[in-house]
Amino acid sequence: MISFTQKKAVARDFKFCNQIRDASASACRNTSEGFGRFRPTENARFLEFARASLTEVQDGLIEAKQKKYIDDELYDRLWTLSRRALGTNTNYMKYLHRCARTGIKPWDKRIPGTKDKGT
């Protein structure tokens, strides 16, 4: 949940609060769900959903600034965090696509080229 939405003036804008809170939580939920899928292509698909939610959060931040719910300093701080989250999401997605393309199996802990039978 984004703490600035708890301020009285902001909290009265129910639709705005619900949308930005849901978008923020959705990014986290989709990232977690994708991670739980193990396979790179499935994981990356959920990261795409998370990415869309992160851009929705950014749209909400712009709206919050326009409505004067947040000042320039808080906007800048939250915008920086959202950019970092998008960057991390993008780099993780690139890694997963590379794993899928090259056959790397990050969930398989065995050393490549060994005949380890899980003992």
Side-chain angles (χ1 to χ4, degrees):
M1 172 173 40
I2 297 173
S3 62
F4 77 85
T5 61
Q6 295 175 339
K7 295 178 183 176
K8 277 189 176 185
V10 184
R12 285 191 287 245
D13 190 343
F14 298 114
K15 188 173 181 179
F16 171 81
C17 282
N18 288 338
Q19 283 180 319
I20 197 162
R21 287 175 181 171
D22 187 53
S24 177
S26 178
C28 296
R29 287 191 304 265
N30 279 304
T31 301
S32 296
E33 185 170 352
F35 187 77
R37 300 292 175 129
F38 296 107
R39 304 298 188 252
T41 51
E42 289 185 60
N43 194 337
R45 185 169 56 98
F46 281 88
L47 285 177
E48 290 174 13
F49 301 143
R51 182 176 183 77
S53 294
L54 290 169
T55 58
E56 187 178 353
V57 168
Q58 285 187 324
D59 185 65
L61 292 174
I62 293 168
E63 183 179 349
K65 186 177 178 184
Q66 290 171 341
K67 291 182 174 184
K68 301 195 185 321
Y69 291 160
I70 55 177
D71 60 22
D72 289 343
E73 183 182 346
L74 181 56
Y75 173 84
D76 290 342
R77 197 171 76 208
L78 293 174
W79 190 263
T80 297
L81 290 172
S82 71
R83 274 191 9 253
R84 288 179 181 168
L86 279 167
T88 301
N89 173 287
T90 300
N91 288 332
Y92 186 33
M93 240 192 305
K94 286 178 183 179
Y95 165 74
L96 292 170
H97 287 301
R98 188 172 61 250
C99 287
R101 189 175 62 253
T102 61
I104 295 170
K105 298 176 181 176
W107 62 90
D108 189 352
K109 301 292 184 205
R110 290 179 290 168
I111 299 170
T114 65
K115 294 183 180 183
D116 180 17
K117 296 181 181 174
T119 56

